[in-house]
């Protein structure tokens, strides 16, 4: 094959995300931060399927010429079905991507100064070692979740056998075993960390990848998770850079794109702080029964809402509730929506990207986590930062469905204008918003860590 043409930049980074929406978005946002600096460029490596899903760098608001996309063949199952067999999908990512990635590296005209790889593509460390290229592990999870998974061996065996703590309830705090994990309970680790096949692969990423990486990049920021970041820095033998919030905040300064956005006109017509934005993730979805309870709960709460639902049938069902107070759409520019003055709350699954966007926007959250790191993020929101309310503990029955009455009450608590409780959440959210923006500005904690990372891989 011919050589891929690329002029040698002062600092060239090859970025390798784990092939999942939240991970790809986090890596794209990291590339935005890095390539905004003079002399830094990135080659973003995905599968052919993902290349088709992403489109062009310019279309994603990435700096012209600074980020280029390259693809390896589709050697893993499709993005559209990976939720059905997560252990099998992880197995494919861990075993099938390394060889085509190395062949791609051979075609690059300019060798990388560093490979920046998602924690969950651990084979990159071996590839880098063979080529004498440093590998930096990027964690798109919260720093708290990173601390838990890195030191999971310190938890008693019951943690991996049902989320039970030594007292048998699941309510015991993990911080008794792992520093920097305030308020996180054993029960928050289920179900992901109690699936043996999945847990083994997750922990393998740390033993074969993170522990052999030359540095670690966190997409959180110092002021948000200071305890966890301090614990990680004390534990790891390599540099740890907290560069977040790793979200597309620079795009807010640009003109809106040409996608249909009638929802923005609708938001413009709503009173300040009156709209609950509802988006429950792009990977794991709530059940049909849970969706019906959410719709009924929103109707009973009498709150205005803007709900993102990709399924047309679900949008039709939602359109019949709320007496015209709600709008259901297939897509939104989420950060722009969260920063709109009419949005006063965010009903979220608590994925880390969404959590960081809400923090940056200063919007209180109502959380309904499903799996992975989401229960941990939910606990941080409700009990550590105190910028929202969690619904997980209200789930009932085998399906874990939260009822409409509990949802309505929580929405009212979050959105009630004159409530001291709601005012307190808004006040604390505003303080985190200020901290997030200060961290990104020149001289801020994240700005300094981006600078230090670039110096580290360039020297």
């Amino acid at each position: 094959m011919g050589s891929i043409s690329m002029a040698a930049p002062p600092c060239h980074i090859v970025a390798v995300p784990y092939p999942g929406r939240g991970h790809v978005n986090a890596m794209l946002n990291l590339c935005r931060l890095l390539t905004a600096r003079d002399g830094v460029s990135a080659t973003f490596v995905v599968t052919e399927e993902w290349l088709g899903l992403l489109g062009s760098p310019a279309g994603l608001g990435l700096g012209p010429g600074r980020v280029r996309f390259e693809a390896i063949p589709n050697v893993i199952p499709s993005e559209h079905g990976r939720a059905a067999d997560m252990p099998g999908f992880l197995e494919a990512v861990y075993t099938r991507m390394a060889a085509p990635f190395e062949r791609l590296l051979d075609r690059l005209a300019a060798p990388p100064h560093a490979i920046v790889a998602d924690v969950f593509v651990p084979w990159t460390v071996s590839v880098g070692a063979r080529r004498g290229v440093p590998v930096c592990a990027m964690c798109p999870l919260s720093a708290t979740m990173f601390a838990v998974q890195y030191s999971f061996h310190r938890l008693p065996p019951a943690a991996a056998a049902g989320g039970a703590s030594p007292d048998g309830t699941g309510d015991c705090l993990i911080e008794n075993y792992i520093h920097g994990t305030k308020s996180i309970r054993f029960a928050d680790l289920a179900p992901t960390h109690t699936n043996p096949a999945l847990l083994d692969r997750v922990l393998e990423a740390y033993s074969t990848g993170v522990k052999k990486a030359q540095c670690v990049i966190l997409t959180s920021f110092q002021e948000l998770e200071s305890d966890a970041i301090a614990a990680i820095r004390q534990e790891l033998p390599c540099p740890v850079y907290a560069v977040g919030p790793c979200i597309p905040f620079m795009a807010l300064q640009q003109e809106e794109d040409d996608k249909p956005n009638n929802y923005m006109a609708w938001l413009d017509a709503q009173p300040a702080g009156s709209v609950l934005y509802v988006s429950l993730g792009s990977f794991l979805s709530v059940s049909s029964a849970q969706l019906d309870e959410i719709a009924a709960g929103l109707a009973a709460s009498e709150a205005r809402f803007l709900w993102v639902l990709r399924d047309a049938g679900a949008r039709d069902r939602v359109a019949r509730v709320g007496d015209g107070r709600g709008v259901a759409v297939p897509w939104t520019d989420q950060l722009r929506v969260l920063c709109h003055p009419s949005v006063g709350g965010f009903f979220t699954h608590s994925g880390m990207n969404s959590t960081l966007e809400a923090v940056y926007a200063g919007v209180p959250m109502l959380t309904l986590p499903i799996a992975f790191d989401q229960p941990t993020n939910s606990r941080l929101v409700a009990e550590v930062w105190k910028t929202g309310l969690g619904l997980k503990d209200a789930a009932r029955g085998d399906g874990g469905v939260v009822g409409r009455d509990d949802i309505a009450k929580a929405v009212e608590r979050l959105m009630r204008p004159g409530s001291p409780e709601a005012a307190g959440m808004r006040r604390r959210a505003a303080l985190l918003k200020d901290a997030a923006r200060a961290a990104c500005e020149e001289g801020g904690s994240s700005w300094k860590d981006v600078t230090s990372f670039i110096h580290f891989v360039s020297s």
Side-chain angles (χ1 to χ4, degrees), residues 11-18 23 26-28 30-31 34 40-45 101 105 112-121 123-125 128 133-139 213-219 241 243 246 453-454 456-457:
C11 181
H12 174 214
I13 289 162
V14 170
V16 191
Y18 173 86
H23 298 254
M27 187 68 81
L28 281 172
L30 176 62
C31 287
L34 295 176
V40 181
S41 70
T43 298
F44 196 84
V45 181
F101 174 71
L105 287 181
H113 289 79
I115 296 170
V116 176
D118 192 291
V119 165
F120 298 107
V121 283
W123 46 263
T124 50
V125 173
V133 177
V135 175
C136 308
M138 185 211 75
C139 179
Q214 276 67 52
C215 72
V216 167
I217 300 172
L218 301 173
T219 58
Y241 303 104
V243 303
C246 224
F453 167 74
I454 293 170
F456 176 75
V457 297

Side-chain angles (χ1 to χ4, degrees), residues 23 90 94 117-125 137-153 178 192-193 198-218 232 235-238 372-373:
H23 298 254
L90 262 180
Y94 280 24
D118 192 291
V119 165
F120 298 107
V121 283
W123 46 263
T124 50
V125 173
M138 185 211 75
C139 179
L141 313 176
S142 66
T144 303
M145 191 77 262
F146 179 98
V148 170
Q149 292 181 340
Y150 186 86
S151 299
F152 199 86
H153 60 280
I178 300 173
T192 303
H193 296 80
L198 195 54
L199 178 63
D200 285 348
R201 280 309 206 182
V202 167
L203 298 184
E204 181 185 334
Y206 289 84
S207 61
T208 65
V210 172
K211 291 185 178 180
K212 298 177 182 178
Q214 276 67 52
C215 72
V216 167
I217 300 172
L218 301 173
I232 293 167
E235 184 78 16
L236 268 62
C238 64
F372 303 115
D373 60 325

Side-chain angles (χ1 to χ4, degrees), residues 273-276 278 294-305 325 344-347 364-367 388-389 391 403-426:
S274 68
V275 175
L276 180 68
V278 185
I294 293 170
L298 290 175
S301 75
E302 299 187 356
R304 295 174 173 86
F305 62 87
R325 288 178 286 99
F346 182 17
F347 193 165
M365 288 170 264
L366 179 60
T367 67
L389 304 170
L391 283 168
R404 61 190 66 188
D405 292 342
D406 289 317
I407 291 169
K409 290 174 185 175
V411 170
E412 289 167 1
R413 286 172 62 193
L414 190 80
M415 301 296 290
R416 189 178 299 142
S419 160
E421 181 186 32
M425 288 186 280
R426 287 194 295 271

Side-chain angles (χ1 to χ4, degrees), residues 9 22 29 79 149 152 159 203 210-211 213 221 229 238 288 300 318 336 348 360 373 375 437 448 452:
N29 292 328
E79 161 69 6
Q149 292 181 340
F152 199 86
L203 298 184
V210 172
K211 291 185 178 180
F221 62 100
I229 292 170
C238 64
S288 178
V318 168
R336 200 176 292 276
T348 173
Y360 185 88
D373 60 325
R437 298 183 182 217
K448 289 178 180 176
S452 297

Side-chain angles (χ1 to χ4, degrees), residues 83-365:
D85 180 17
M86 273 305 299
F89 186 83
L90 262 180
E91 178 74 19
V93 170
Y94 280 24
T95 59
R96 299 181 194 169
M97 292 179 67
F101 174 71
E102 283 212 70
R103 291 193 290 271
L104 177 76
L105 287 181
D106 289 336
R107 307 199 313 270
L108 292 179
H113 289 79
I115 296 170
V116 176
D118 192 291
V119 165
F120 298 107
V121 283
W123 46 263
T124 50
V125 173
S126 298
V127 172
R130 285 195 291 272
R131 293 168 175 264
V133 177
V135 175
C136 308
M138 185 211 75
C139 179
L141 313 176
S142 66
T144 303
M145 191 77 262
F146 179 98
V148 170
Q149 292 181 340
Y150 186 86
S151 299
F152 199 86
H153 60 280
R154 293 182 178 160
L155 298 177
S165 48
D167 63 1
T169 67
D171 289 333
C172 180
L173 295 178
I174 288 173
E175 192 172 29
N176 295 335
Y177 303 88
I178 300 173
H179 296 312
T181 58
K182 287 192 300 188
S183 296
I184 308 306
R185 296 165 170 77
F186 278 74
D188 296 326
L189 301 182
T192 303
H193 296 80
T194 54
N195 178 323
L198 195 54
L199 178 63
D200 285 348
R201 280 309 206 182
V202 167
L203 298 184
E204 181 185 334
Y206 289 84
S207 61
T208 65
V210 172
K211 291 185 178 180
K212 298 177 182 178
Q214 276 67 52
C215 72
V216 167
I217 300 172
L218 301 173
T219 58
S220 186
F221 62 100
Q222 176 65 35
E223 292 78 6
L224 187 67
E225 295 188 86
S226 57
D227 289 346
I229 292 170
I232 293 167
R233 284 177 168 152
Q234 185 173 6
E235 184 78 16
L236 268 62
C238 64
V240 176
Y241 303 104
V243 303
C246 224
I247 58 174
F249 59 84
M250 287 180 285
L252 294 175
Q253 314 305 320
Q254 303 167 2
E255 292 294 323
E256 291 188 50
D257 58 35
D258 57 1
K259 294 185 177 71
N261 58 5
N262 292 337
Y263 59 86
M264 293 299 288
W266 182 82
L267 286 174
D268 290 341
Q270 309 308 312
S274 68
V275 175
L276 180 68
Y277 174 61
V278 185
S279 180
L280 297 167
S282 57
F283 175 39
L284 295 176
S285 301
V286 298
S287 65
S288 178
Q290 184 65 82
L291 187 143
D292 287 341
E293 292 301 308
I294 293 170
L298 290 175
S301 75
E302 299 187 356
R304 295 174 173 86
F305 62 87
L306 171 63
W307 194 343
V308 179
L309 286 164
R310 287 163 180 78
D311 181 73
R315 290 198 300 276
D316 290 341
R317 286 157 65 190
V318 168
R320 294 192 290 270
V321 306
D323 194 26
R325 288 178 286 99
V327 174
V329 295
W331 179 90
T332 65
D333 183 340
Q334 179 164 288
L335 184 57
R336 200 176 292 276
V337 166
L338 287 170
C339 291
H340 194 284
S342 72
V343 173
F346 182 17
F347 193 165
T348 173
H349 66 308
S350 296
M352 190 56 179
N353 291 334
S354 290
T355 299
L356 287 174
E357 290 188 354
V359 167
Y360 185 88
V363 175
M365 288 170 264

